[in-house]
Amino acid sequence: MEKQLSQNFDEDALAFDGVEEPSTSDRFVSVLDESIEYAHKILEYYPVEVNSIQLLSSKSGRTKWLIDTDQGKMILKQAILPPERLLYISAAHAHLQDNGLPISRIIRTKGDGLCIGAGDHAFVLYEHCVGN
């Protein structure tokens, strides 16, 4: 049986209900809450139990969250690029890891994929490592 390397993601499952226009001060909190809710939905595709999510950064088409799970801390990364490109990068990363390079481990999806594709962007989950 061939391993599945990527997993498609149903963006319709992430539709947020419309609400009245929030005040300027509430907009930041709303965007932050939506970002964390979005990350929660992505993490449903991974074999981890999420304890907490913290948005680390979101700039230049890349977003990173720190995820505290039942298996330790992890980093969820989103990049605006074709999922095929992130699949290539993730496969190269896994190859280097499998050949002894001491790098963060990629956490595979429940379907044994290396990453998740969603339209024009993709996600990958890594174990969190402290260092340079």
Side-chain angles (χ1 to χ4, degrees):
M1 177 193 283
E2 186 177 315
K3 281 189 177 181
Q4 179 182 1
L5 294 180
S6 70
Q7 186 165 344
N8 287 327
F9 175 71
D10 181 7
E11 286 186 274
D12 293 334
L14 292 180
F16 297 107
D17 291 332
V19 293
E20 289 183 30
E21 184 69 25
S23 68
T24 304
S25 62
D26 290 336
R27 260 186 232 147
F28 177 75
V29 173
S30 176
V31 168
L32 183 60
D33 288 344
E34 286 181 6
S35 171
I36 290 172
E37 182 177 341
Y38 192 74
H40 264 290
K41 299 237 183 236
I42 295 297
L43 291 165
E44 290 175 4
Y45 289 84
Y46 289 93
V48 297
E49 186 174 314
V50 177
N51 299 324
S52 66
I53 299 176
Q54 175 186 355
L55 178 65
L56 294 178
S57 66
S58 185
K59 57 186 174 183
S60 301
R62 298 183 184 271
T63 304
K64 290 192 317 188
W65 296 270
L66 177 63
I67 315 297
D68 183 32
T69 74
D70 60 327
Q71 299 175 35
K73 293 186 188 256
M74 299 182 182
I75 298 290
L76 177 64
K77 292 184 178 182
Q78 174 191 5
I80 296 178
L81 51 86
E84 298 80 18
R85 177 78 175 135
L86 188 58
L87 177 58
Y88 175 80
I89 293 166
S90 299
H93 183 104
H95 174 77
L96 293 172
Q97 179 186 336
D98 291 345
N99 285 286
L101 192 67
I103 55 179
S104 297
R105 181 173 62 95
I106 291 179
I107 308 302
R108 289 185 173 267
T109 67
K110 291 176 182 175
D112 202 33
L114 290 171
C115 60
I116 295 175
D120 67 346
H121 52 281
F123 300 84
V124 64
L125 183 65
Y126 297 95
E127 69 180 352
H128 179 260
C129 292
V130 179
N132 295 340

